[in-house]
Amino acid sequence: MSQAAFEPRLGATPDPRSDVPAIEVHDLTVAYRTQPVLWDVDFQLPEGELIAIVGPNGAGKSTLLKAILGLVEPLTGRIEVFGAPYRRRRSWVGYVPQRESVDWDFPTTALDVVLMGLYGRVGWFRRPSRGHTKRALECLEHVGMHELAGRQISQLSGGQQQRVFLARALAQDARLYLMDEPFAGVDVTTERAILSLLEELRSQGRTVVAVHHDLQTVAEYFDRVVLLNMRLIAEGPVATTFTDENLQRTYGGRLTVLARAAETLLENRRLDAPPEESTLARREGRGPWS
Amino acid sequence: MELTFTARNVLLGATLLGAVGGVLGSFALLRRQSLLGDALSHAALPGVCLAFLVTGSKDPLPLALGALGAGIAGSLTVLALVRWSRIKEDSAIGIVLSVFFGLGIVLLTHIQRLPGGNQTGLDKFLFGQAATLMERDLQVMAILGAAVMVLLGLFYKELKLITFDRAFAESLGLPVRALEGLLTLLLVTVVVVGLQTVGVVLMVATLITPAAAARQWTDSLGWMLVLAGGVGAASGATGALASASVAHLPTGPMIVLVASAVLVVSLLAAPRRGLVRAWLRERGVEQRIRRENLLKDLYRTGEEAGTDPHRLVPLPHLMGLRGQAFGALRATARRLERQGLLSSHDDTLSLTTEGFREAEAVVRKHRLWELYLTRRLELASDHVHRDAEAMEHALSDDDVARLEELLGHPETDPHGRPIPPAPRQPGGAPSPREEATP
Amino acid sequence: MSPTLVVLTVGSLVGASCALVGSFLVLRKMALLGDAISHAVLPGIAIAFLLTGGRAALPMVVGAGALGLVTVFLVELFNRSGRLAEDASIGVVFPALFSLGVILISRYASQVDLDLDCVLYGEIAYTPWDVWLVAGRSLGPKALWVNGAILLLDLALVTLFYKELKLSTFDPELAAALGFSPVLLHYLLMGAVSVTVVGAFESVGAILVVAMLVVPPATAYLLTERLGRMLAVAVGIGVASAVVGYFVARALDASIAGAMAVVAGSMLAGALALSPSHGLVARALRHRRLGRWLTGRIVLLHLRSEGSPVSRDALRERLGWTRSRSRRLSGILRELETRGWVTRETEGLRVTADGARAAEEHGGA
């Protein structure tokens, strides 16, 4: 973990002259057990934009994020973040997982959760300093959660929980943010607050790549879109890429071709239900062996 | 109370185990690994037997190491079963639990039949025979226990993070698998520490029950650990003392019963999560709603008849309005009477002046909310009544004032009924509405 | 009946009935509830013993069965309160009940031969001599009668409620929507488990009952896809474990029940390794085949999009493959060549028309 000197820099601007893409994905294929989830995905994303990843359930969106973070092992392919493998760029990237991937009944406060984002800077065997706490509080204030800093997280509403997650991301002060459904299940006010936060991040030159579920708001909120359905359907600026035709191709039921081909090679699963991306974690439980 | 040497050992051992078990059990509980502890304790048996067969000695240290090794093997087996086959986690735990234990029993009975195989040495691990705790055993327990606590302290924040949000921890670059392995190792160690005191079967309660009790009292992980350790130690001590004082009360089961009793009390009585408190709170709210409804009903009955607001209304009529039972209504009415808000004569009720004012306030909330729904959210006027019935009890005075302003100090509700004006402050300015009307 | 035959029969009866109800426990992910029941019935047995003053089978079965249901109920209660997760609920309920049982026995029955160790691992070797006396006449070993009756009971349950059990196991929502009360089925099943556990208690004890409940069904789960077949295979394996276990125990002069559990475990290990559909070997082979298939297609897609020939090194770099994986690449390329989908030229590899089509028909854009 990096031991970068601690300084409260909610405003660090990345190098605007650099033309290294934020993310480069080459020929990425990921299979879960023996079923392909991502197939030959290939794209580049520039820095400094708000980018949405969109696709039907089970299309591999969360898997794509996890592959970028090095959390899943691809069958083939290469991913680079700012020109290097992820593990060399860890301190440049902040991850905001799906809100429901966490047990919010865990005994901890909002402040504590944000402090977790700073563990990389605190280092092993040390406790967070007062400076770290101050920074965490600043981040909470930035998302409007200052007064609830000491509140137990199970007592927070969905929107408040999401804000806490975002405050944690802010604390990481990253150049690239990967967010998994940040707008899911939040109230209107929070949604607007999150959007303005993302826009602020963009104005600082940072990049946000978010899995987004709500087709209605893609064009309004984001600059670029990646349409995914196991394969890359299309990628580009929202205006030219988020078209009816592309949406048809993404959602129009052509998912099955590869899956069917794979299945003829594989067991037919009659005693098991096929794993679905979004329900997998829920069904198999959040055990330590996932 | 005069403690024998044995009893003193038991007391020390049980308290130590309770403290360490409670702390580590908190992590097991939060990671939904409660029953893994059960599997590990059963899996330790073949390790103990093998250690005996190999070293020929009943010295606690090699036996503990054997148990440790077997426990680790057991946990790895569970992991392997889940990762490499379609067998689910619960079955994997059951498999390891029973098969390893079966192997242990085979070895144990085989040892017992060997010439010189002193059986009372090893089968104490089944049920725990705290009375056989020797100085040496306590020493081993203390060393292992201390090691567990030190490691927990060193890696506290990382262990907290991987328990709460594993994926995020991975993204930070934390060696999550290694840390999980560490926790499992600590868990196995605690199991080994406790085997002689509480035995294979009850080990899981030593871990989980104090932690579950502690969870009810606090929302902070740190305090939960402290409390769990405390409850564990106290249960251990109490159980040990009780077992020493009364004949035929084995230590292990006593400890578990004490801890379970603490858990039940915690579940019922703890301030925020306690079930009794929650039930009382709910009832409190229910009763307030019933009172407000009664006031409102009395007001409306009077209003509809167009007569004296203090009119006498028979109870049966009120019962019919909401389908309420006689007894419940009576009880509510009595409450209101005691508050001076209504008076009752035989089976009729009437609002007092004070009661009338209160009723007005409730009706005002109701009708303002209805108006809000129809005007601002454009709901049909016949759809708003139910919502208002619920909302009226939840609106505060501030909410009401704001509603009034928002709606421009209206005079009638969607059904054309008058909205009672805000109560005039004593000796104060006229209400905005009075000012507005010419 | 010779003692050996009695023991073998009792063991088989236990193995069979446990396998029947245990299969549903495994499929419903309730294996540990079975574990809990097997421990928690102890106070039921103790109470029955104290009330009747003897070790008659029927009161014990009833007492234990009742406790089994109480266990399930308490676990639900703790879980539903919202304050305790399901696994934690199990982990606090059964030790408390078990402790209660141990204390009852220690205080009020210590002078009798309710040997606590046997509670944990049973003593099936005594069953031939534990006969059922009716009016002074021996009707044969009690265990045969009890476990035989229990097997019939379990068979009846499974046959009568087969459809409902199957549906509520795989699709509980649909079952509820169709009017089969899932709660009723749940308690019926758990009641059967309790009764089965108690019958097995004498033979194999509390902990090894779990082995019989979980291990043969898990083994069957690795070998077959259909419920009916799974039940049959589980029963077969249960019986086999009992029989083989007996002989192993004889050879080692050790606990019969323990040996049964170990044999069952070995059969599971065998199935795990060698099962044609789910075993590790089969899986590894399949995984490799899929990997090769996918990689082959990716190679074809690349070559097709490139147009001009690509050298092997360039291909490797493009795929982001390290040297170790490159050895497999050679094998894959060779296969592609053999199929006539790729040709090797001086500058590198080129895809053929057939190859381009092969890539396409499996989803090339």
Side-chain angles (χ1 to χ4, degrees), chain A residues 95-172:
Chain A
Y95 177 44
V96 182
Q98 276 188 4
R99 191 156 45 85
E100 53 194 23
S101 66
V102 148
D103 179 12
W104 290 92
D105 199 33
F106 193 81
T108 189
T109 60
L111 176 63
D112 250 349
V113 174
V114 178
L115 274 171
M116 291 181 193
L118 293 170
Y119 279 0
R121 304 203 192 176
V122 174
W124 292 96
F125 310 132
R126 277 195 281 254
R127 304 188 50 191
S129 69
R130 224 180 318 206
H132 293 125
T133 310
K134 184 155 149 290
R135 171 139 173 92
L137 284 170
E138 283 169 13
C139 294
L140 276 172
E141 179 153 14
H142 207 79
V143 297
M145 288 284 296
H146 191 133
E147 282 162 13
L148 296 172
R151 189 72 66 88
Q152 152 76 358
I153 55 180
S154 68
Q155 295 179 285
L156 299 176
S157 72
Q160 290 168 335
Q161 287 170 350
Q162 194 63 48
R163 290 185 206 224
V164 170
F165 259 14
L166 286 170
R168 181 173 72 178
L170 285 179
Q172 291 180 279

Side-chain angles (χ1 to χ4, degrees), chain B residues 29 32 34 38 42 84 86 88 90 98 101 105-106 109-110 113 123 127 201-202 246-248 256 267 273, chain C residues 29-31 35 39 78 83 87-88 99 107 116-117 121 207 211 221 252-255 258-259 272 278 280:
Chain B
L29 180 75
R32 309 283 166 112
S34 309
D38 193 30
H42 287 71
W84 291 336
R86 71 207 291 222
K88 305 295 186 292
D90 66 315
S98 54
F101 187 77
I105 291 295
V106 167
T109 48
H110 179 72
R113 318 255 212 249
D123 69 354
F127 278 94
V201 174
L202 300 175
V246 183
H248 295 299
V256 171
L267 281 172
R273 288 166 72 112
Chain C
K29 307 206 226 284
M30 290 187 179
D35 176 35
H39 289 77
F78 275 86
R83 308 296 194 255
D87 66 329
S99 301
R107 264 186 85 67
L116 280 179
D117 283 354
Y121 56 83
I207 297 178
Y221 188 50
L252 294 178
D253 191 20
S255 152
L272 187 63
H278 295 283
L280 292 176

Side-chain angles (χ1 to χ4, degrees), chain B residues 34-361:
Chain B
S34 309
L35 295 169
L36 181 64
D38 193 30
L40 294 178
S41 70
H42 287 71
L45 185 62
V48 169
C49 295
L50 275 174
F52 175 77
L53 281 173
V54 164
T55 65
S57 101
K58 282 184 327 183
D59 183 73
L61 193 57
L63 293 186
L65 288 175
L68 208 71
I72 294 173
S75 72
L76 289 175
T77 311
V78 175
L79 235 131
L81 281 174
V82 170
R83 182 159 325 143
W84 291 336
S85 81
R86 71 207 291 222
I87 291 177
K88 305 295 186 292
E89 189 175 333
D90 66 315
S91 297
I93 291 179
I95 290 168
V96 166
L97 192 156
S98 54
V99 173
F100 272 64
F101 187 77
L103 181 62
I105 291 295
V106 167
L107 290 171
L108 184 65
T109 48
H110 179 72
I111 290 174
Q112 287 171 350
R113 318 255 212 249
L114 290 178
N118 187 349
Q119 66 171 68
T120 58
L122 291 183
D123 69 354
K124 67 185 173 184
F125 290 108
L126 292 180
F127 278 94
Q129 275 177 33
T132 61
L133 282 175
M134 297 278 110
E135 286 284 344
R136 183 99 172 90
D137 301 311
L138 286 177
Q139 280 168 1
V140 172
M141 283 170 77
I143 294 175
L144 289 178
V148 166
M149 299 299 259
V150 163
L151 284 170
L152 258 180
L154 281 179
F155 294 102
Y156 176 66
K157 63 182 195 299
E158 285 81 10
L159 292 175
K160 179 161 84 166
L161 178 56
I162 63 166
T163 306
F164 173 61
D165 193 347
R166 188 180 195 270
F168 183 75
E170 268 185 296
S171 79
L172 283 184
L174 281 183
V176 172
R177 294 245 183 98
L179 286 168
E180 287 177 336
L182 174 66
L183 258 182
T184 308
L185 183 63
L186 293 178
L187 192 62
V188 174
T189 310
V190 172
V191 163
V192 166
V193 164
L195 271 184
Q196 205 177 337
T197 314
V198 293
V200 162
V201 174
L202 300 175
M203 192 63 224
V204 60
T206 316
L207 292 168
I208 300 298
T209 313
R215 179 73 188 90
Q216 310 307 318
W217 294 93
T218 174
D219 285 328
S220 141
L221 179 62
W223 279 114
M224 179 178 166
L225 293 177
V226 168
L227 228 68
V231 169
S235 313
T238 316
L241 286 174
S243 159
S245 349
V246 183
H248 295 299
L249 271 188
T251 316
M254 264 328 285
I255 298 177
V256 171
L257 281 185
V258 170
S260 307
V262 173
L263 173 62
V264 170
V265 167
S266 307
L267 281 172
L268 292 177
R272 191 176 68 79
R273 288 166 72 112
L275 294 167
V276 166
R277 301 283 189 108
W279 183 73
L280 283 176
R281 257 199 311 267
E282 262 181 51
R283 268 207 42 197
V285 170
E286 258 178 50
Q287 283 176 344
R288 180 169 68 83
I289 292 180
R290 273 204 216 116
R291 289 200 298 275
E292 288 184 358
N293 281 345
L294 180 53
L295 286 173
K296 208 173 55 171
D297 292 339
L298 283 168
Y299 180 96
R300 280 223 292 255
T301 315
E303 191 187 41
E304 268 158 32
T307 59
D308 173 22
H310 301 292
R311 150 202 193 81
L312 294 169
V313 181
L315 266 173
H317 173 80
L318 289 166
M319 280 167 60
L321 284 179
R322 283 174 202 273
Q324 272 184 317
F326 182 76
L329 197 55
R330 236 298 168 62
T332 314
R334 230 173 270 144
R335 269 324 260 294
L336 287 172
E337 212 178 349
R338 249 176 302 175
Q339 290 179 314
L341 296 176
L342 61 74
S343 52
S344 72
H345 314 281
D346 300 327
D347 273 348
T348 60
L349 306 172
S350 72
L351 289 169
T352 62
T353 325
E354 190 61 46
F356 184 75
R357 267 202 288 263
E358 287 283 328
E360 266 195 328

Side-chain angles (χ1 to χ4, degrees), chain A residues 32 273-286:
Chain A
Y32 171 75
E276 236 147 74
E277 184 184 82
S278 53
T279 60
L280 193 61
R282 258 175 271 140
R283 191 175 306 187
E284 309 269 50
R286 275 167 272 101

